[in-house]
């Protein structure tokens, strides 16, 4: 059996499902690939309807109790399995980091997903079905293509955009510039590859909110739309303010930044990571490129010197 062949241990099983534990992440993913290939080969040999399995692989501490396998790693694997396509494999970001470049398996970055309402989002990678054989020139299913696009826009609707790549990351920003720009105690953002973002019709109006970045907004309704670093060069990613997405619920923040400017009356109840602006290597490089050590020494953000 594939599990034993990859030095794994089979635990709880039910119907056509089971849990297995491996001491090696590479062995675990190799086993998943082997199982899917074996099932597909058997279906071809028998020329019958293919039994399609879903497999989820996660990395985490587990414990054995009364012959059962328990722990967050097990729970996450089960939820990843439910997300996978029939005949496919879904893995967590931690697993992907361990196997990247070491296993011949094409995995698509599906961004950060909240696997359960009470869970913190995790980075998910999945195999995807091969595209169907194309017919005549440009016989492409437009409806299917539209479903793969991420869309959004401003409040008045004059500015619309579409994105054809998964999110890179998400977060809250408490910095004082984001507070001013959003008119709120913090902003929520989602980063995408800049090359994947396309504006339809009207373009945003841009404002240089600091010497290192510019922000896009709708000049008609004032909706905050984008943020992009421009120093020391244009960033390869574009930040979209999450509420401007048509479906923002799937992009839960995974960290707090700019925490030094957190409003004293705002109580943060989650346990997400929290960082100061000066902790960001990228931002420090950007400020250094304009001859300043950090945001706190620039114009409107300058911290006044103490008077004795």
């Amino acid at each position: 059996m594939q599990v034993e062949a990859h030095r794994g241990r089979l635990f709880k099983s039910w119907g056509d499902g089971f849990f297995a534990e491996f001491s090696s992440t590479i062995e675990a993913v190799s086993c998943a690939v082997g199982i899917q290939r074996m099932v597909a080969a058997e279906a071809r040999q028998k020329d019958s309807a293919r039994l399609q399995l879903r497999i989820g692989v996660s990395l985490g501490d587990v414990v054995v109790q009364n012959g059962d396998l328990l722990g967050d790693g097990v729970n996450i694997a089960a939820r990843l399995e439910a997300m996978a396509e029939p005949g496919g494999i879904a893995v967590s970001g931690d697993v992907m980091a361990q196997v990247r470049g070491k296993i011949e398996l094409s995995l698509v970055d599906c961004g950060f997903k909240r696997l359960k309402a009470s869970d913190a989002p995790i980075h998910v990678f999945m195999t995807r079905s091969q595209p169907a054989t194309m017919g005549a020139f440009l016989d492409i299913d437009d409806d299917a293509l539209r479903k793969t696009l991420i869309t959004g826009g401003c409040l008045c609707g004059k500015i619309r955009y579409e994105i054809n790549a998964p999110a890179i990351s998400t977060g809250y920003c408490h910095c004082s510039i984001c507070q001013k720009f959003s008119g709120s105690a913090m902003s929520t953002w989602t980063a995408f590859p800049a090359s994947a973002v396309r504006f339809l019709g009207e373009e945003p109006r841009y404002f240089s909110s600091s010497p290192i970045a510019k922000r896009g907004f709708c000049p008609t309704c004032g909706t905050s739309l984008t943020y992009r670093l421009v120093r020391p060069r244009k960033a390869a990613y574009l930040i979209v303010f999450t509420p401007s997405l048509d479906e923002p619920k799937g992009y839960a923040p995974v960290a707090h930044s700019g925490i030094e400017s957190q409003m004293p009356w705002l109580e943060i109840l989650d346990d997400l990571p929290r960082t100061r602006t000066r902790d960001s290597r990228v931002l420090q490089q950007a400020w250094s490129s304009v001859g300043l050590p950090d945001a706190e020494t620039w114009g409107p953000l300058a911290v006044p010197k103490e008077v004795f």
Side-chain angles (χ1 to χ4, degrees):
M1 186 179 177
Q2 290 288 332
V3 173
E4 286 81 1
H6 290 89
R7 295 187 286 278
R9 292 188 295 169
L10 184 63
F11 280 86
K12 183 178 179 180
S13 63
W14 63 98
D16 58 359
F18 64 88
F19 281 123
E21 181 265 345
F22 300 81
S23 58
S24 163
T25 308
I26 293 176
E27 291 286 6
V29 177
S30 297
C31 178
V33 173
I35 290 173
Q36 296 292 30
R37 287 177 177 171
M38 180 183 68
V39 171
E42 289 180 354
R44 286 194 298 270
Q45 289 175 359
K46 296 177 181 178
D47 194 23
S48 60
R50 177 182 171 185
L51 171 66
Q52 293 187 309
L53 303 177
R54 294 182 174 92
I55 300 178
V57 184
S58 71
L59 178 64
D61 292 331
V62 295
V63 295
V64 179
Q65 183 175 318
N66 298 325
D68 199 359
L69 200 62
L70 306 174
D72 287 342
V74 176
N75 298 332
I76 292 173
R79 290 163 193 160
L80 287 168
E81 178 268 333
M83 293 179 63
E85 290 186 347
I89 301 167
V91 307
S92 65
D94 290 338
V95 171
M96 186 64 180
Q98 295 286 326
V99 304
R100 192 189 302 272
K102 300 175 183 177
I103 293 179
E104 291 186 10
L105 178 65
S106 178
L107 291 165
V108 176
D109 186 344
C110 297
F112 287 81
K113 305 289 185 182
R114 191 180 294 274
L115 304 186
K116 191 178 179 182
S118 59
D119 291 342
I122 70 167
H123 209 164
V124 176
F125 294 80
M126 291 192 286
T127 55
R128 291 296 194 192
S129 301
Q130 293 297 320
T133 303
M134 191 171 175
F137 181 60
L138 292 183
D139 276 354
I140 299 172
D141 186 342
D142 282 350
D143 290 335
L145 179 60
R146 289 190 187 97
K147 290 178 182 178
T148 68
L149 295 175
I150 301 166
T151 58
C154 67
L155 179 62
C156 70
K158 287 190 175 181
I159 297 179
R160 296 288 301 164
Y161 60 78
E162 62 182 26
I163 306 167
N164 63 2
I168 300 170
S169 188
T170 61
Y172 295 105
C173 184
H174 299 260
C175 82
S176 54
I177 301 181
C178 275
Q179 290 171 354
K180 288 285 188 182
F181 192 66
S182 65
S184 180
M186 59 187 172
S187 67
T188 53
W189 56 267
T190 303
F192 296 94
S195 60
V197 182
R198 183 168 72 98
F199 287 96
L200 312 174
E202 291 191 26
E203 289 268 341
R205 182 82 56 84
Y206 293 100
F207 167 66
S208 295
S209 55
S210 74
I212 66 169
K214 66 178 183 179
R215 295 169 185 259
F217 64 97
C218 173
T220 301
C221 64
T223 300
S224 303
L225 293 168
T226 66
Y227 168 90
R228 190 176 188 182
L229 281 174
V230 295
R231 292 296 186 96
R233 67 190 70 83
K234 278 189 177 181
Y237 58 87
L238 179 72
I239 283 177
V240 171
F241 291 104
T242 306
S244 72
L245 294 167
D246 289 338
E247 298 291 340
K249 294 180 181 179
Y251 298 89
V254 298
H256 293 269
S257 60
I259 203 69
E260 72 279 359
S261 300
Q262 176 189 345
M263 290 293 178
W265 40 259
L266 177 67
E267 183 180 5
I268 299 175
L269 300 178
D270 60 57
D271 58 356
L272 298 177
R274 306 176 190 185
T275 61
R276 297 171 60 87
T277 301
R278 66 178 58 175
D279 297 329
S280 168
R281 174 184 55 81
V282 172
L283 288 177
Q284 289 304 306
Q285 288 177 346
W287 283 109
S288 295
S289 73
V290 295
L292 295 171
D294 53 47
E296 294 179 355
T297 58
W298 169 72
L301 299 184
V303 177
K305 296 180 179 179
E306 294 183 5
V307 178
F308 296 94

